Amino acid sequence: MTKIDISRPETVLPTPSHTVGPFYGHALPFPGGGDIAPVGHPDTIAVQGYIYDGEGNPLPDAFVELWGADPDGNVSTVDGSMRRDPSSGGFLGRNGVEFTGWGRIQTDANGHWSARTLRPGARGLSAPYLSVCVFARGLLVHLYTRIYLPGDDAALAADPLLSQVDEARRGTLIATDDAKGTYRFDIRLQGEGETVFLEFQ
């Protein structure tokens, strides 16, 4: 039997990660999580898609978090837009005014998710994009990716991150324009057409 001296941290081995779901669905999603854009804002776009597992099956118990800059490319520093009932503490939804750039959306029974946000502006040398974090059953850690919006081929070609991605897989980071300010972005966790995921260190 091996004994570990816990008074010496250098001898303690790290514990393994645990899956992130689907129990998170009971507390983390909230009503209106995908209503990121202020009500009636002219730069509002809709982004929607499906999350698929390695066998191509849609996941009904996953969720995505989105972060995006405003149309001028600025990252919001607003404290928040959530409202609670002062007497009960219950969640009332967003106030419909502040743009925080952040949202959390759970997939429905068909694995579908959707959000309304503002069209992000370019930041530095990067083409406009939304940052995405994916939580799903079977994942030991959440996954990061980006949603680039089509339309400016020169900006996409010059983007520092996209230029490092194999050309055959670059399309997994670019949404499809469904017209009228609506974009589709499916997330494939494994297998054919797997979405490119990012690692941050």
Side-chain angles (χ1 to χ4, degrees):
M1 179 180 201
T2 304
K3 292 186 177 180
I4 297 174
D5 182 358
I6 59 171
S7 66
R8 296 177 51 219
E10 65 275 8
T11 66
V12 179
L13 298 175
T15 56
S17 296
H18 296 281
T19 59
V20 296
F23 50 82
Y24 54 74
H26 297 292
L28 295 177
F30 56 90
D35 297 327
I36 306 166
V39 176
H41 197 289
D43 292 316
T44 299
I45 61 170
V47 184
Q48 56 90 24
Y50 292 83
I51 299 181
Y52 297 103
D53 66 15
E55 296 179 346
N57 299 315
L59 293 178
D61 52 7
F63 73 79
V64 298
E65 289 185 349
L66 299 178
W67 298 273
D70 67 16
D72 296 322
N74 300 314
V75 175
S76 176
T77 57
V78 174
D79 287 340
S81 61
M82 306 301 178
R83 297 174 305 147
R84 292 199 175 274
D85 184 317
S87 59
S88 70
F91 181 72
L92 294 175
R94 295 181 188 264
N95 63 18
V97 178
E98 275 88 16
F99 174 72
T100 62
W102 177 83
R104 179 184 290 150
I105 310 101
Q106 185 167 7
T107 56
D108 65 16
N110 297 314
H112 184 261
W113 64 274
S114 64
R116 290 183 320 96
T117 189
L118 298 184
R119 177 183 296 278
R123 299 185 63 219
L125 299 175
S126 296
Y129 67 87
L130 297 169
S131 294
V132 182
C133 185
V134 181
F135 297 78
R137 62 179 134 138
L139 295 179
L140 296 180
V141 292
H142 41 275
L143 302 172
Y144 295 100
T145 190
R146 286 183 178 179
I147 301 174
Y148 286 92
L149 300 179
D152 188 340
D153 293 342
L156 293 172
D159 183 86
L161 186 139
L162 278 178
S163 63
Q164 295 179 50
V165 177
D166 185 305
E167 191 172 351
R169 299 195 62 210
R170 208 170 290 163
T172 69
L173 295 175
I174 303 172
T176 302
D177 188 344
D178 284 349
K180 297 183 180 177
T182 301
Y183 298 88
R184 178 165 177 171
F185 187 79
D186 293 334
I187 299 169
R188 299 181 186 278
L189 301 181
Q190 290 180 316
E192 187 176 348
E194 178 184 325
T195 300
V196 170
F197 296 104
L198 311 175
E199 183 176 300
F200 293 95
Q201 297 183 8

